[in-house]
Amino acid sequence: MWRREVRKQVPHSVPAAADDCEQLRKAFAGWGTNEGLIISILSHRNDSQKKLIRETYAKTFGEDLLKVLDKELTSDFERLVHLWTLDSAERDAFLANEAAKKWTSSNRVLVEIACARSSEQLLAARRAYHALYKKSIEEDVALRTTGDFRKLLVLLVSSYRYEGTEVDLNLAKIEAKLLHDKISKKAYNDDDLIRIFATRSRAQTNATFNHYKDEFGKDINKDLKADPKNEFLTLLRATSKCLIHPEKYFAKVLRLAINGRGTLEEDLTRVVVTRAEVDLKTIGDEYQRRNSVPLDRAIAKDTSGDYEKMLLELLGHEDAK
């Protein structure tokens, strides 16, 4: 019978960055790479510790640790380690750039970065994008997207939502009616509808959506399923879910990544590395509630080798900052 393991967290006391660098150097030495040693170090370091390791490695050995890892590792394991070793702002910038360059109407990565991060985290990602690519996220998104998608996504990635808990209930009532009117008329690209989705605080948006359900008898996401094949409606639903119920959104992404015909490693990797220090335990609980299988068991069944080992280690990073 499968026993769910308790995954290790970041240790309370970690070795000095210089010691970690020496161990990583040993992992790269000789004929073969010691992947287990790499996993044992990097999977148990948080954002600030990994950043210090990268800086120390460059100073000590004159090499970029990320480039060494890319050279020594391969396939899905290499991408997983690369994304995890980036700090969170760089990672979001990297993923946003990748999503913009190969954007399709079914791509949800930009929505995740814009809506499942705090305002400060999104701002940090935008700054990292400037540093890495010498331009802004919004100009790349505007260049690569078109029509209604551009209208929504540019506003989303350039937004700086208020993070407080204050709510204007009268405004929620007014905007719930406005949203219902627009959705009833299938005016999904209406400026005011997009403005509400892209700029209101989470607390205000939640109040508006709650009033929508109370007043009109249906969850707003149900009304946004009027045309299941409409990719813009799918994007609006993703925006709503990432803002209000990110654990449900990401649990579904994981289910589709794991339970489909073949594993969608890119989606699986992205969710694990971006949520490991945020809410991955909550996502795992939601996954188990919806699928009656523990997330670690599902991942172990569908992956293998060092890729599997690293993913399972990262499942223990809940709130490990």
Side-chain angles (χ1 to χ4, degrees):
M1 182 178 176
W2 179 276
R3 273 179 46 185
R4 189 173 186 176
E5 297 179 13
V6 178
R7 303 295 169 197
K8 297 176 184 176
Q9 305 262 342
V10 171
H12 292 298
S13 177
V14 299
D19 294 337
D20 279 342
C21 290
E22 289 290 347
Q23 290 301 307
L24 287 169
R25 191 72 169 178
K26 288 180 182 176
F28 306 140
W31 289 102
T33 304
N34 187 339
E35 290 87 353
L37 184 55
I38 295 169
I39 293 169
S40 71
I41 296 170
L42 294 179
S43 68
H44 299 292
R45 301 294 182 268
N46 64 24
D47 231 25
S48 59
Q49 292 162 350
K50 286 178 290 175
K51 187 173 184 179
L52 184 57
I53 288 170
R54 285 173 59 194
E55 291 170 354
T56 305
Y57 196 95
K59 193 179 296 183
T60 305
F61 302 111
E63 291 183 285
D64 183 336
L65 178 59
L66 284 171
K67 290 182 179 178
V68 177
L69 289 167
D70 290 349
K71 184 175 69 174
E72 294 287 337
L73 309 177
T74 59
S75 195
D76 298 318
F77 179 56
E78 180 273 322
R79 180 175 173 84
L80 174 61
V81 174
H82 182 102
L83 286 176
W84 177 247
T85 306
L86 291 168
D87 70 47
S88 55
E90 287 179 306
R91 183 190 306 129
D92 280 345
F94 176 89
L95 290 169
N97 179 259
E98 192 176 62
K101 284 196 297 188
K102 60 179 185 180
W103 185 81
T104 66
S105 60
S106 62
N107 192 308
R108 311 279 172 260
V109 176
L110 292 168
V111 168
E112 292 174 14
I113 293 168
C115 301
R117 312 293 192 262
S118 71
S119 296
E120 285 296 326
Q121 288 169 336
L122 176 55
L123 184 59
R126 290 169 66 191
R127 286 176 175 146
Y129 203 100
H130 288 181
L132 289 169
Y133 305 110
K134 311 309 176 189
K135 48 190 169 179
S136 69
I137 291 180
E138 46 268 49
E139 70 179 290
D140 267 355
V141 172
L143 176 66
R144 304 285 182 172
T145 59
T146 57
D148 295 341
F149 294 95
R150 176 190 289 163
K151 196 172 171 180
L152 174 63
L153 287 169
V154 170
L155 199 53
L156 283 176
V157 298
S158 55
S159 184
Y160 187 80
R161 295 177 195 267
Y162 176 60
E163 293 284 354
T165 58
E166 294 85 354
V167 167
D168 184 334
L169 292 176
N170 188 53
L171 179 64
K173 183 177 182 179
I174 292 169
E175 294 194 333
K177 184 178 185 307
L178 186 154
L179 290 173
H180 187 262
D181 288 346
K182 300 301 179 184
I183 291 170
S184 297
K185 294 172 184 175
K186 298 188 176 181
Y188 305 122
N189 64 349
D190 177 81
D191 287 347
D192 283 327
L193 183 150
I194 289 175
R195 171 184 58 78
I196 293 166
F197 270 72
T199 66
R200 290 296 186 207
S201 72
R202 283 176 176 77
Q204 187 66 39
T205 303
N206 193 40
T208 299
F209 289 175
N210 284 340
H211 190 83
Y212 187 106
K213 186 174 183 179
D214 292 342
E215 184 70 17
F216 304 109
K218 196 183 288 187
D219 189 290
I220 191 170
N221 281 338
K222 292 272 175 53
D223 282 342
L224 289 172
K225 281 186 177 176
D227 181 358
K229 294 182 180 180
N230 185 323
E231 292 284 8
F232 185 68
L233 290 188
T234 305
L235 201 68
L236 284 174
R237 292 198 304 274
T239 301
S240 164
K241 289 175 185 175
C242 281
L243 282 171
I244 308 302
H245 297 296
E247 74 286 352
K248 293 181 180 179
Y249 170 85
F250 286 113
K252 184 175 181 180
V253 174
L254 288 173
R255 176 175 63 79
L256 294 174
I258 296 169
N259 296 352
R261 292 183 179 179
T263 308
L264 300 175
E265 286 85 358
E266 195 167 297
D267 290 347
L268 174 57
T269 296
R270 186 182 73 256
V271 173
V272 171
V273 298
T274 59
R275 309 310 291 182
E277 292 190 281
V278 184
D279 57 358
L280 192 54
K281 182 180 184 303
T282 305
I283 293 167
D285 291 343
E286 176 66 16
Y287 182 94
Q288 182 167 358
R289 187 182 74 80
R290 295 298 297 267
N291 300 283
S292 302
V293 177
L295 179 57
D296 55 358
R297 179 178 178 180
I299 288 174
K301 182 180 178 183
D302 229 47
T303 59
S304 61
D306 295 314
Y307 180 60
E308 174 200 348
K309 291 173 188 174
M310 183 81 170
L311 287 170
L312 294 178
E313 289 299 315
L314 294 181
L315 286 179
H317 267 270
E318 169 68 7
D319 295 333
K321 288 184 178 179

